[in-house]
Amino acid sequence: MGHADLRAHPVVHTRLTMALSPAPRLALRGDLLDFTGAPAWGDTASAAVRFRPDHWLLVEGGRIAGARPASEPLDASWERHDHAGRLILPGFIDTHVHSPQLDVIASHGTALLDWLDTYTFPAERRYADAAEAQAGADRFLDALLAHGTTSAVVFATVHPVSADRLFAGAEARGMRLITGKVLMDRHAPDGLRDDVEQAEADCRDLIDRWHGIGRLAYAVTVRFAPTSSPAQLAMAGRLCSARPGLYMQTHVAENVDEVRWVRELFPEARSYLDVYARAGLLAGHGIYAHGIWLDDEDRRVLRANGAMIAHSPSSNLFLGSGLFGWRAAEAAGVPVAVASDVGGGTSLSMQRNLADAYKVQAMAGERLSAWTALHAATRGAADGLGLVDEIGSLQPGAMADVCVWDWASGPVAQRRHAVAAALHEQVFAWMTLSDERNLAAAYVAGVPRHTRDPLPC
């Protein structure tokens, strides 16, 4: 599908439109938690944690203006949403997720390469249809918000219309979204292959139409090395340097069979990551999903190029791909963010993925703190994306992408919360026992985009 196809299918905005604008002055009451820096590994009493119980979070013009204790009165100019007794966090940032794969989440029984052929590729083929791409984008973006994720780095499909509808839907909701048309010109079924020339034209068209518009950015999106020819990889490398601020996203070293296949296809490369380096794909903001089977030299190269790893613990466990070495990445200075990787992952809930991340590290004899985990899903992810001034914290000047959570839901979690003594213990229990059912409200740029109940006043 080329330029003419996109123009033939004009964007139809969903029920969430830009007519919704932030209140001029909005005050959200609750227990405010965010980070001013990166917590040290294993530190359960980190100075980087900023916790302000029972405060008003002040929002003006869609941005955070500050905070003050709830005991201090507000004048009548503030629209109050009183969430007293609830936890208020920056919206989560999912750094690796596939929009069309809601259809295949929780599919049984195969490892990565078979899973792609059996489940993923048939689901993605449907997104050639503009109506399906529209419905899928709306369903996916609403699902993100309903799980407390307000920003995301997303794989669309090979079809340009799939990325187009995601961009349009995110713009309508005011969300920070990074996405792009998938590049895939070999080792894929009919209906999911492009070619180098047309793919480049489609990418340039989408970049011209969407990159830098509002809170949107384009990611040059190589699915993974085996499904792109050397010529397509080289074209993707050229695209990465074509415009300032472009991102590049792909998969790397997820599964041992995949790594072996890459070695057969690219015998001249030192490693899987080196395939991308040779194609010029380490330029710009690089987001590499998984990175389980990297070595020390790979990690050194990632650090030198300012790239980040999107750790997908639930997916790695579900597909049996392996256990990610977070401490090795940290020691090498490679930023690590946490991602859902739905549909290989089994939930869009960032808490469920963080709980799985704890289990992955426990298998390596490490103990992931709630602070390191939550930082990787908020400020740490934003920092890795170069967006720390916009998202990931409750810092004045940041966009008011904010989520309100029940501390506990149900008698077990409520009792656990009641007896938890220290703050880390409370937050770790919340991270482990909560999910999207704890979400009371999600605000994007100060606009309530998802609410479970009528907003409190």
Side-chain angles (χ1 to χ4, degrees):
M1 181 178 291
H3 304 179
D5 298 296
L6 285 179
R7 288 194 292 267
H9 299 291
V11 172
V12 178
H13 287 299
T14 66
R15 58 185 176 82
L16 293 168
T17 69
M18 293 304 290
L20 287 173
S21 57
R25 305 184 91 196
L26 175 66
L28 307 177
R29 184 180 180 181
D31 300 331
L32 312 184
L33 176 64
D34 71 334
F35 299 90
T36 59
W41 187 277
D43 188 355
T44 59
S46 174
V49 177
R50 177 167 50 186
F51 184 60
R52 291 168 286 183
D54 200 17
H55 270 56
W56 290 107
L57 183 69
L58 306 179
V59 178
E60 294 191 69
R63 292 185 179 271
I64 294 169
R68 67 174 64 172
S71 58
E72 296 182 8
L74 297 173
D75 63 44
S77 67
W78 293 94
E79 179 181 311
R80 298 170 180 81
H81 292 183
D82 191 340
H83 297 285
R86 286 174 168 158
L87 176 64
I88 296 181
L89 289 170
F92 286 129
I93 304 164
D94 193 337
T95 51
H96 178 66
V97 60
H98 296 258
S99 63
Q101 291 189 24
L102 294 185
D103 287 1
V104 300
I105 192 171
S107 294
H108 174 263
T110 57
L112 172 65
L113 299 180
D114 290 336
W115 195 84
L116 290 173
D117 289 333
T118 305
Y119 299 116
T120 301
F121 288 158
E124 292 189 0
R125 193 184 291 114
R126 293 194 287 270
Y127 279 65
D129 178 72
E132 184 69 27
Q134 178 74 60
D138 290 340
R139 182 168 54 247
F140 171 76
L141 293 168
D142 287 343
L144 286 182
L145 293 171
H147 286 76
T149 294
T150 54
S151 299
V153 183
V154 184
F155 270 62
T157 72
V158 73
H159 315 102
V161 71
S162 69
D164 183 77
R165 297 310 192 253
L166 277 172
F167 277 129
E171 183 186 39
R173 292 161 176 79
M175 298 172 70
R176 162 55 75 176
L177 194 83
I178 300 167
T179 191
K181 170 201 128 50
V182 170
L183 297 172
M184 196 159 59
D185 69 342
R186 66 172 180 172
H187 299 144
D190 292 345
L192 285 179
R193 291 189 305 274
D194 52 17
D195 62 70
V196 175
E197 182 178 353
Q198 186 61 57
E200 181 173 9
D202 290 337
C203 289
R204 290 186 181 277
D205 180 56
L206 287 164
I207 291 166
D208 289 342
R209 295 172 64 242
W210 291 112
H211 182 62
I213 301 300
R215 304 181 68 190
L216 308 175
Y218 194 84
V220 176
T221 304
V222 176
R223 178 171 220 114
F224 66 155
T227 50
S228 284
S229 65
Q232 187 173 72
L233 291 173
M235 180 273 288
R238 292 193 301 272
L239 279 177
C240 285
S241 57
R243 287 274 292 273
L246 287 178
Y247 290 82
M248 196 289 296
Q249 62 174 340
T250 191
H251 301 79
V252 68
E254 177 180 358
N255 173 278
V256 290
D257 289 336
E258 169 207 17
V259 172
R260 187 179 303 113
W261 191 19
V262 170
R263 189 179 302 119
E264 293 169 358
L265 292 171
F266 301 92
E268 72 283 0
R270 190 200 70 82
S271 68
Y272 193 156
L273 183 70
D274 190 47
V275 174
Y276 298 132
R278 287 167 174 264
L281 286 165
L282 291 177
H285 295 288
I287 305 147
Y288 291 85
H290 307 294
I292 298 171
W293 303 102
L294 299 175
D295 60 22
D296 289 342
E297 176 62 16
D298 291 328
R299 286 184 280 266
R300 187 197 66 77
V301 170
L302 287 173
R303 177 185 180 180
N305 286 275
M308 69 184 296
I309 293 175
H311 172 35
S312 306
S314 298
S315 173
N316 298 160
L317 293 172
F318 188 72
L319 295 177
S321 299
L323 305 177
F324 172 65
W326 194 328
R327 291 300 302 276
E330 182 186 71
V334 180
V336 176
V338 174
S340 72
D341 192 29
V342 163
T346 51
S347 177
L348 291 172
S349 166
M350 198 55 68
Q351 298 100 301
R352 293 191 190 185
N353 284 280
L354 295 175
D356 279 345
Y358 177 85
K359 298 166 192 172
V360 167
Q361 297 311 305
M363 291 295 293
E366 301 285 354
R367 291 295 179 263
L368 179 67
S369 72
W371 303 144
T372 296
L374 282 172
H375 178 263
T378 56
R379 186 186 182 96
D383 199 16
L385 294 171
L387 297 171
V388 74
D389 292 334
E390 179 193 340
I391 56 177
S393 78
L394 304 180
Q395 189 71 18
M399 297 298 291
D401 295 351
V402 176
C403 289
V404 182
W405 302 90
D406 291 332
W407 273 104
S409 177
V412 173
Q414 289 166 356
R415 176 59 180 170
R416 183 69 186 93
H417 178 69
V419 301
L423 178 62
H424 182 268
E425 186 179 3
Q426 291 179 322
V427 175
F428 185 82
W430 174 84
M431 184 184 85
T432 307
L433 298 175
S434 71
D435 57 25
E436 70 274 14
R437 290 167 291 188
N438 291 61
L439 183 66
Y443 297 79
V444 178
V447 176
R449 294 292 181 179
H450 174 84
T451 57
R452 185 184 62 204
D453 306 309
L455 289 170
C457 299

